[in-house]
Amino acid sequence: MGSAGILNRLQFNRRELILSGQLIRSGTSIGANGEEAIPAQRKRDFLAKMSIAMKEARTTLFWLRIIHESGLANSPEIITLLQKCRELTNLLSRITLTTRQNLRSNKRVSSPNAMNSSFHIFHSTLG
């Protein structure tokens, strides 16, 4: 059934409507920021958008836990969504960490003191 089924069942009273709205906002923001990261022209832009996606994934995980722990949704599908959201959060965390590390190492390599030439092709098979 997925998240749509849970959201449909949550929209019965004001408290549930507020929670489902929060879940929708944070959940859709993950995808929107991920999509914006893909065509980024600079690694810093990519990192910024992926960092936002990671934060929104953590927020989505928070709202899913609230919904589950409050007893508003105790079906197996909420457990599956929690598990998938944790996996997504971990994946986005690794992406941002790796990107941040790559930016730092590229800064060290590309500094004027690190190279004799101002022109350098990384990982080139050219001599």
Side-chain angles (χ1 to χ4, degrees):
M1 182 174 278
S3 59
I6 289 174
L7 293 176
N8 287 336
R9 287 195 302 274
L10 285 177
Q11 297 179 3
F12 292 118
N13 65 43
R14 181 166 169 70
R15 177 183 61 160
E16 293 167 344
L17 184 61
I18 290 169
L19 289 174
S20 64
Q22 293 289 350
L23 183 60
I24 289 169
R25 278 188 287 285
S26 62
T28 55
S29 182
I30 301 167
N33 282 287
E35 283 295 317
E36 285 184 42
I38 293 169
Q41 295 180 357
R42 297 177 326 151
K43 281 187 181 180
R44 289 201 176 282
D45 297 334
F46 175 83
L47 178 59
K49 290 298 178 181
M50 286 308 243
S51 294
I52 294 169
M54 180 193 60
K55 291 174 185 176
E56 292 294 342
R58 291 189 58 80
T59 302
T60 301
L61 184 58
F62 169 78
W63 291 118
L64 285 170
R65 282 194 332 256
I66 294 292
I67 290 167
H68 175 65
E69 291 171 12
S70 68
L72 293 172
N74 286 321
S75 66
E77 65 187 317
I78 190 76
I79 304 297
T80 301
L81 287 173
L82 280 162
Q83 194 171 26
K84 287 182 179 186
C85 193
R86 280 187 195 99
E87 290 171 10
L88 180 59
T89 301
N90 290 336
L91 175 66
L92 292 169
S93 294
R94 287 192 300 272
I95 289 170
T96 56
L97 177 63
T98 301
T99 304
R100 194 172 284 118
Q101 289 170 342
N102 288 341
L103 279 169
R104 283 187 201 127
S105 66
N106 284 344
K107 272 186 175 180
R108 278 185 242 123
V109 171
S110 63
S111 69
N113 296 330
M115 295 187 301
N116 295 330
S117 171
S118 62
F119 181 76
H120 184 74
I121 300 174
F122 290 98
H123 306 291
S124 174
T125 57
L126 302 174

